[in-house]
Amino acid sequence: MDVYTAIKTRRSVRAYKSKPVPEESLRRILEAARLAPSAANRQQWKFVVVQDPERRKQLSQAAHHQSFVGEAPVVIAAVSLDPERMMSCDVPAYAVDLAIAVDHITLAAVEEGLGTCWIGAFSQEKVRRILNIPSRYKVVALLPLGFPNDNPRGKLRKKLEEIVCYETFSE
């Protein structure tokens, strides 16, 4: 599959089969995250892979009771190890770095025939406690991962002309 096909077919999956994720697929997906670029190549992140059913259930409760989070056979927590670092453009480095790495995960998952859903609705404190993450770090996203068990809907996106400007900003 080429990258454009992966981008076009990637979608947020909210229903998963109970079928386990093959270890080789998981390893390739995590390798895709490892290879993602980061500010000054610092790779100030950790990816906590959760496969234990009880811990996944706890994460789904911490994610405002989104049950599908715990139904996925794997949940990956993307964690910033340096949430205070700002880039010179006044944007937190972790937000950019982990967005790139998580997107690598989502696209690699498509290549492996798996689905994901970027979860930003969760209790930071509860997830830290469940995964034993020190308070100086920040959980940026939870990613349930598994074989999709739903019917894909078509993607609705704005027209290119609505989101792109040339040379200067315009509304």
Side-chain angles (χ1 to χ4, degrees), residues 33-147:
R34 185 185 75 81
L35 293 173
S38 63
N41 195 33
R42 292 182 184 195
Q43 296 180 296
Q44 292 293 308
W45 54 45
K46 285 271 188 175
F47 299 96
V48 182
V49 178
V50 181
Q51 295 174 308
D52 176 70
E54 180 55 36
R55 197 175 305 264
R56 292 189 337 254
K57 181 179 178 186
Q58 292 173 8
L59 288 173
S60 73
Q61 292 168 349
H64 307 307
H65 301 280
Q66 297 179 79
S67 60
F68 72 91
V69 172
E71 292 166 2
V74 175
V75 178
I76 300 171
V79 181
S80 169
L81 303 180
D82 191 5
E84 301 302 318
R85 184 166 180 267
M86 298 293 279
M87 295 186 296
S88 63
C89 62
D90 202 29
V91 173
Y94 81 86
V96 175
D97 290 349
L98 279 163
I100 296 168
V102 167
D103 202 45
H104 275 52
I105 289 171
T106 65
L107 294 176
V110 172
E111 174 69 22
E112 298 291 330
L114 299 165
T116 62
C117 185
W118 187 311
I119 305 296
F122 59 87
S123 164
Q124 185 75 217
E125 292 310 312
K126 287 179 183 176
V127 172
R128 280 188 187 136
R129 188 175 59 249
I130 293 163
L131 301 179
N132 198 32
I133 297 169
S135 62
R136 66 184 177 273
Y137 302 139
K138 182 172 282 205
V139 182
V140 177
L142 297 175
L143 291 156
L145 175 70
F147 290 96

Side-chain angles (χ1 to χ4, degrees), residues 20 23-24 26-28 32 41 44 62 69-70 78 81 85 98 120 146-147 160 164 166 171:
E23 190 61 37
E24 316 79 57
L26 179 58
R27 188 134 180 97
R28 283 189 292 268
N41 195 33
Q44 292 293 308
V69 172
L81 303 180
R85 184 166 180 267
L98 279 163
F147 290 96
L160 196 58
V164 176
Y166 291 93
E171 291 189 40

